[in-house]
Amino acid sequence: MKKLFTIICLTVIASFAIRNTATAQDYRNAIGGRFGTANGVTFKTTLGGNKMLDLIANFRSNNGFSYFRISGLYEVNNKIEGAPGLLWYYGAGASVGTRKWKYDNSTDAYLSVDGVLGLDYKFADAPINLSLDWKPAIGLTPETYFDSAGLGLSLRFTF
């Protein structure tokens, strides 16, 4: 089931690659991996100007539960003077997914409101992008809580 869900998500992500929009970034689209508190796949595409959409499909597991979720983040990118290729960004979005408890195999729906704050670097002579960010979340279901552990490093191929 997770494989089918991942394939569907990647198909949706690939459809954004067709977009042809002017951008303030040094790339229009980027796809790759996200590693950190949760590991997964990330696709970032321009919405025009300095705005971008970051879609993330990831999974996380600990002693009590595991989850799979899809996040969509609207980001505003800002150049850093004197640092070509380096941007800082902030934004917000949401995540949906499922959470499975290991002790009784029960599954819950997962929904959260997310924020993001980070740095984005595009190598000048290579189609490679690195992002380091903090993505805190307010879980809405199955219970309300604040998750401040959302650190991630993304390595992407740009096109």
Side-chain angles (χ1 to χ4, degrees), residues 40 42 62 75 98 108:
T42 173
N62 71 16
E75 299 174 350
T98 61
D108 297 316

Side-chain angles (χ1 to χ4, degrees), residues 38-90:
N39 300 312
V41 177
T42 173
F43 176 77
K44 201 166 185 177
T45 187
T46 185
L47 297 174
N50 66 339
K51 313 297 189 283
M52 295 197 88
L53 175 66
D54 192 3
L55 300 172
I56 304 167
N58 63 21
F59 58 92
R60 181 176 175 183
S61 182
N62 71 16
N63 294 333
F65 66 90
S66 61
Y67 73 69
F68 176 78
R69 68 182 179 185
I70 302 292
S71 302
L73 299 167
Y74 177 83
E75 299 174 350
V76 178
N77 292 268
N78 299 290
K79 294 188 181 229
I80 297 175
E81 293 299 321
L86 184 63
L87 305 170
W88 72 277
Y89 60 92
Y90 62 92

Side-chain angles (χ1 to χ4, degrees), residues 83-106:
L86 184 63
L87 305 170
W88 72 277
Y89 60 92
Y90 62 92
S95 295
V96 296
T98 61
R99 181 172 71 176
K100 183 175 184 177
W101 292 98
K102 293 180 181 177
Y103 66 89
D104 68 357
N105 277 340
S106 66

Side-chain angles (χ1 to χ4, degrees), residues 19-49:
R19 305 190 75 186
N20 192 8
T21 314
T23 176
Q25 293 77 16
D26 293 331
Y27 59 92
R28 287 190 190 103
N29 303 295
I31 190 166
R34 179 176 169 87
F35 311 96
T37 306
N39 300 312
V41 177
T42 173
F43 176 77
K44 201 166 185 177
T45 187
T46 185
L47 297 174

